[in-house]
Structure formats: structure tokens, C-alpha cells
Amino acid sequence: MSDPGGMRRLPVDVSLVPQEDETGVVNGFFVVVFDVSREVAAREADLRHRAELAHVSRVATLGELAASIAHELNQPLSAIVANAQAGRRLLDRVPPDVDEVGHALDDITEAGRRAGDVIASMRALLQRGEVRDERVDLPALARDVTDLLHSEAIGRSVALRTEGPAGGVSDVLGDPIQLKQVLLNLVMNAVEAASHGAGGERSVVIEILQRGPEVEVAVRDSGPGLPSDDPDRLFAPFVSLRRDGLGMGLAIARSIVEAHGGRIWAENGDDGGAVFRVRLPGA
Ligand SMILES: Nc1ncnc2c1ncn2[C@@H]1O[C@H](COP(=O)(O)OP(=O)(O)OP(=O)(O)O)[C@@H](O)[C@H]1O
Ligand SMILES: [Mg+2]
């Protein structure tokens, strides 16, 4: 804060204190000047610090968001490529298998829509910073997920099924696309784990239960089970024990479930394999 002329400038606080004579007439002022350079510097540092913090957390959120978009788009994109390749082979047959090409094209359309849904829901999350509030039927959502992953499971010789509750369960409130992502991530992991399990039946079962006021979805697999040390660390971002894993699936699942007022955790099943449980408050 110095001038070219060598004079130093200081931020100051100036007060005028009126001097009155005994009849109450103001006949002068005391001018009190406080040097407030320390306070001003501290305030500027604080503002700068807060701006930096806001920037850092925005960048961190964007980074996580980018990772989660990459993760969620990977599955529909692989489905599109696989179906397009299958369509090509079916057309090369003599005679071409036109019916099956039609199915491949339907699957491509469905995967493309799903990719669009993922982007729409991420965008909504960014804009409003909140989740959509609708009544969601979890058993119906689980059936959608088993349909979506049907060919993935068959390809890995894994039997995938849903065990519905006998008496039905409450709806939950939330964003159906995000909740579907949670189930997709859990079931994909379970199918992956089951395909590496020891001999015997390879299976993944999605079970839906009413637990008091809450609804629980349990995804149980016949895979090798959880690592014995702290299974909760699997939910941290970028933790993956798979060679090709990004390690975002469970981190995304946890942040979605918690944004819905629910809980998600993992344990080992009674007969080997892992069980991932999600509990959400009923509507
Ligand atoms: N059902 C399961 N059985 C055993 N281990 C599991 C199971 N589900 C997840 N895990 C372990 O937790 C790790 C983290 O899972 P997460 O879904 O977060 O990441 P990922 O599947 O490795 O990669 P991606 O980001 O592609 O989903 C996995 O790498 C795996 O080691
Ligand atoms: Mg995963």
C-alpha cells in the first residue's frame, strides 16, 4: 500500500468526537484515526480462503461426478457395442437373420435411452442439488434390473432371480433412476463376484423385505465373499479389488442411498458369498 512518492497509505477508521461547550453548542471536534490495516488484511485473507475452499469443493464434486457419469455410461455403451457387433454377424449369415437383428436394434435403443436417463438424472442432481421425490415401487425396480442384466448374467452362467415379498412392501420416496442405479451397481458386482465363486451353483438373488416402516433390498451372491478386514472400506471412492474396476460403484450407491435417508452395508452370507443390504424409509 505505498505510493510512488514514497508515502505509505493505510486503511483507517475515522471517528469524529464533537466537543460541546457548557450550553450544548458544538465548537469543535476531536478526530480519532485508527489504523485498521490488520483487520482489513485478515478480512481479505478470510474472503480469499473461503473462495478457494468453495472452488476446491466444486472441483472435487465435479471430479466425482465425472467419474460417476463415466461409470454409469459404461454399461449401456458396452451393451450398444455388443449388440451392434451381434447385428453385424447376424446380417452376414446366409440367409441373414433379420428377426434377431431387430432384437439387437431394440436393445440398442433401450441402452441408448438408459444412457440418456443417466445424463438427465446427473444434470438434475447438479441443477437442484436434490433428488426427485416420487413413490417408487422397489420390487418393480428390481424386476427392471434383472431384465436389464439378464443377458450379462447368462453370459457368465449366473442364475439371477428376484424373490418378492409375499405380502408386498411399502413404496419408498425418491428418484427412481438413481435408485435403479444403486440396484444395477449392486447386482453387477454380485454377478461379477458369483462368476468367480468356487464350484457349485452360481447365483444372485435379490430379496425384498418389509422391515417395520423400512423396506430392505438384499442382494446375495454365491461368490467368494468379502475381504475379512473392514468391508466398509469397499464403499470408499476408487477402492476396487478388480483389475478393470473403477471402484466407484459402491461409493455412488452409498451417496444415493444416504441422500434418500437410507443405509447401505455389506456382510457375509451364512453359506459363503456376500450380502449387500439397502434399507430405505417407507413412504
Ligand atoms: N458381491 C461382492 N462380493 C465380493 N466383493 C465385492 C462384491 N461387491 C463388491 N465387492 C468388492 O468391492 C469392490 C468395490 O466395488 P465397486 O462397485 O465400488 O467397484 P468395482 O466394481 O471394483 O468397479 P466399478 O466402479 O466398475 O463398479 C470391488 O472391486 C470388489 O472387490
Ligand atoms: Mg462395481
Side-chain angles (χ1 to χ4, degrees):
M1 289 195 184
S2 62
D3 261 355
M7 271 196 293
R8 215 159 80 82
R9 288 192 180 204
L10 286 177
V12 293
D13 204 9
V14 180
S15 311
L16 295 178
V17 184
Q19 286 306 115
E20 300 171 0
D21 64 18
E22 48 290 359
T23 63
V25 175
V26 176
N27 56 16
F29 292 93
F30 280 119
V31 180
V32 187
V33 179
F34 286 108
D35 173 0
V36 292
S37 44
R38 285 242 295 261
E39 288 80 349
V40 168
R43 204 158 56 226
E44 279 171 359
D46 185 46
L47 280 177
R48 215 167 36 238
H49 184 63
R50 262 189 281 171
E52 272 164 16
L53 264 186
H55 180 68
V56 166
S57 68
R58 202 159 56 231
V59 170
T61 311
L62 282 180
E64 268 177 33
L65 205 71
S68 82
I69 292 173
H71 177 270
E72 300 302 338
L73 290 183
N74 215 18
Q75 207 267 332
L77 287 177
S78 329
I80 288 169
V81 172
N83 277 293
Q85 287 170 337
R88 176 80 257 170
R89 280 195 303 275
L90 293 163
L91 280 180
D92 287 344
R93 281 191 193 161
V94 189
D97 191 341
V98 178
D99 277 357
E100 279 302 315
V101 172
H103 286 144
L105 288 176
D106 289 345
D107 286 351
I108 288 174
T109 308
E110 162 65 23
R113 289 221 175 93
R114 213 160 356 114
D117 283 352
V118 168
I119 290 174
S121 114
M122 294 286 174
R123 208 152 61 196
L125 196 68
L126 255 189
Q127 278 166 359
R128 293 177 294 153
E130 62 186 34
V131 289
R132 220 159 87 194
D133 251 352
E134 277 175 24
R135 294 183 83 92
V136 180
D137 176 359
L138 284 179
L141 213 66
R143 281 192 298 275
D144 284 356
V145 168
T146 44
D147 288 348
L148 277 174
L149 296 181
H150 179 73
S151 33
E152 181 82 31
I154 290 183
R156 293 166 184 261
S157 316
V158 174
L160 172 60
R161 65 175 195 276
T162 313
E163 282 180 4
V169 291
S170 324
D171 285 346
V172 299
L173 281 185
D175 185 319
I177 296 168
Q178 289 189 2
L179 292 175
K180 193 189 267 185
Q181 276 169 18
V182 171
L183 293 192
L184 268 174
N185 290 349
L186 294 183
V187 177
M188 279 294 288
N189 281 350
V191 167
E192 165 77 20
S195 69
H196 292 125
E201 197 211 6
R202 296 169 156 196
S203 67
V204 171
V205 181
I206 309 175
E207 197 182 355
I208 300 170
L209 310 140
Q210 185 79 43
R211 299 270 196 197
E214 296 178 313
V215 184
E216 179 177 303
V217 182
V219 179
R220 194 185 300 274
D221 65 64
S222 63
L226 301 170
S228 48
D229 58 322
D230 188 16
D232 215 50
R233 88 189 152 88
L234 300 177
F235 291 88
F238 305 114
V239 171
S240 176
L241 306 182
R242 284 172 31 208
R243 204 162 354 126
D244 58 344
L246 194 58
M248 281 305 290
L250 291 175
I252 295 167
R254 176 162 276 174
S255 65
I256 293 175
V257 169
E258 289 179 352
H260 282 75
R263 280 175 299 142
I264 180 172
W265 72 99
E267 55 199 39
N268 277 312
D270 297 334
D271 33 330
V275 190
F276 281 76
R277 295 181 194 275
V278 174
R279 272 201 205 168
L280 292 163

